[in-house]
Amino acid sequence: MADDLDAVELRLGHRFADAALLRLALVHRSFASEYEGEVTNERLEFLGDAVLSLTVAEELYRSWDLSEGEMAKVRAAVVNEASLAAVARGLGLGEALLLGKGEEASGGRSKASILADAMEAVLGAVFLDGGLDAARRLVRQRWGELLAARADAPGRLDYKTRLQEVLARDGRVPEYEVEGEGPDHAMTFTAQVRIGGEVVSSGSGSSKKRAEQDAARRALEQLRNRA
């Protein structure tokens, strides 16, 4: 079990100060029912669900200009059993789950519902162990691409496109410079926007695209303030 927890920690990119939290996140109720004194991961699952919803909502609010209804639709498309189970599989949670004998025999390690619940519990454990910043990093790392794909709906103008169109009115073109720092599993990118050789804004994000979008958003704000 210890080796499984170490492998999960490595893939999570989060070293637990309290390793018992990670173990608890992987205790399915079928296991707890067979071993006296074991506690299920259900309370952590409840917490993780709230953390994920909050973090996704915050990302949508900060990074995309969407209406309330659009934000709700994107969040529903991102925060669901299918996406949670997919992330859990990517982290290898199935191999580390603590299951009862019956659930083990019936293929519980690959069931989407069990994996999704465990993923929420792990996120809750990360939140308790490392705070909201640690939970945000995990969500950005594991849900970032899906979130961006859902939020950048076909035909929707993103911040980079908007900035390009605003500048094109008087023949100007934005230029981006992006740098990354940090470990490969948790890199942070910083982007600068230059207009006519002048740096007008900078932004950051968990990917180059997100950093450029953030920088373009700030550049648009600068242009509006100057108008």
Side-chain angles (χ1 to χ4, degrees), residues 23-85:
R23 183 187 183 279
L24 175 58
L26 298 170
V27 177
H28 186 256
R29 63 177 175 270
S30 63
F31 184 87
S33 69
E34 293 182 8
Y35 294 89
E36 185 177 354
E38 289 286 351
V39 179
T40 77
N41 64 1
E42 291 171 352
R43 278 165 49 85
L44 276 178
E45 174 196 337
F46 177 84
L47 177 61
D49 175 66
V51 171
L52 180 58
S53 293
L54 170 63
T55 306
V56 168
E58 181 186 21
E59 288 292 297
L60 287 170
Y61 184 87
R62 292 185 181 279
S63 301
W64 283 275
D65 185 17
L66 302 174
S67 69
E68 178 187 0
E70 289 170 330
M71 290 171 69
K73 289 179 181 178
V74 173
R75 184 174 60 180
V78 173
V79 182
N80 56 45
E81 181 180 287
S83 71
L84 282 157

Side-chain angles (χ1 to χ4, degrees), residues 1 4-5 22-32 35 38-39 41 93-100 103-104 109 114:
M1 180 65 185
D4 290 335
L5 293 181
L22 178 57
R23 183 187 183 279
L24 175 58
L26 298 170
V27 177
H28 186 256
R29 63 177 175 270
S30 63
F31 184 87
Y35 294 89
E38 289 286 351
V39 179
N41 64 1
L93 294 191
E95 293 83 351
L97 286 170
L98 291 168
L99 300 175
E103 196 62 69
E104 178 85 51
R109 294 189 186 279
I114 292 178

